[in-house]
Amino acid sequence: MPSRSDITYFGAGPALLPTDVLEEAAKALLNYHDTGLGIAEHSHRSQLAADVINQAKADLASCLDIPDDYEILFMHGGGTGQFSATAYNLVGAWVTRKQQEISGGIQGDPTDPKATQQLKEAVDNNLKIDYLITGGWSQKAAAEGERLFGSEHVNIAADSRETNGGKFGTIPDESTWKLSKDAALVYFCSNETVDGVEFPAFPKSLLPGPDGKGPIVVADMSSNILTQKISVENFSAIFFGAQKNLGPAGITVVVIKRSFLPPITSQPSARLMRQLGLPIPPIIFQYETIAKNNSLYNTLSIFDVYIIGQVLAKLLRTYPDKVEGQQAMSDKKARLVYDAIDAFPEIYKVIPSKAVRSRVNICFRVTKGDDIEAAERAFLEEGIAQGLTGLKGHRSLGGIRASNYNSVPLEGAEKLAKFIRAFATS
């Protein structure tokens, strides 16, 4: 029976957590700060819980250099829940803006039939949600937008399958994107875990103009958050599940510009949204409600937030330059693995195009011999024998997937690279 130290886990999520963080968490589960109660037993309404939340928020803001005009929310529902939540909330914000335009900048009377009719015409003719489809997760996000709002309101601004033989593995050139003029949001998945595709940089066509205005950009960064420095101010909202680089499954983090969190009284009423033929979010997916209650509108898992806080504190201790230091390490580990794969082009084939290879989810096929499936089974079995686990590719794609999350140590990447080379020459 292998011990924890014998295993290097490359699973796509839930991912490996730092051993020292888990050891401290085990103590906290039994007796947190000598209170006689474990952290999972304390009330989420207690000052202790508020302190855990506030410290985690402060450390995340420090790690990512989040500007002061952004709010951090801890929510449930995973990244999949945010496919709905971002659309609900930002379509609501779009309706509010149109309502104010119609009423000359003053909050209109929702009972005025003429104003409501004008607003409904604006919704019917102009409301669009834009999606850049580059893999399985962005495909699911677009499908959810269409399910909630109808195909007439969803604009697929780009789909990599259209220029890649019906398969994912590339990002279409920005010159081909068909962005809407005034979209409620433009969604993209920064890193596709299934297909191993990562945006190499923030898209130039989505950057704010000289006046500071630009598209309302929403990014799913569930798998590559905290692996690279980002300019948060380029985004209207970012969301990410905790279970890749931040903590256990169960908490989803939303970083959103506060201008999209007006008082509840200035949001479109449920009645108005129904008159417009638009859905309204469940209350636990309503951003301004979560923000107003410091993520405690409903019972939040404080234990999960505690682990998030411990992971962030460890990152800050390890890298004085914060996420830039972590990025250098992530890049170094990825280079080790890709260099080993690329050294044997007759044995291995990386699935996505080289220009968009993910640093975080390294997806490849083993083409050694005539039977690819048999070769990949042998690769996985020999890897497990050496303590390299979690390497099986996603069920929809097959092959091998090495997830290079922050908790994978440099020694683990070195061990995998060595095994890749040894397997090729055996």
Side-chain angles (χ1 to χ4, degrees), residues 348-364:
Y348 305 111
K349 182 181 184 302
V350 177
I351 293 174
S353 167
K354 191 169 185 177
V356 297
R357 287 180 178 182
S358 171
R359 301 164 303 113
V360 183
N361 302 106
I362 300 168
C363 299
F364 61 99

Side-chain angles (χ1 to χ4, degrees), residues 142-159:
E144 181 67 352
E146 185 171 335
R147 188 182 72 86
L148 293 174
F149 292 92
S151 58
E152 66 275 19
H153 294 306
V154 169
N155 172 46
I156 306 303
D159 187 333

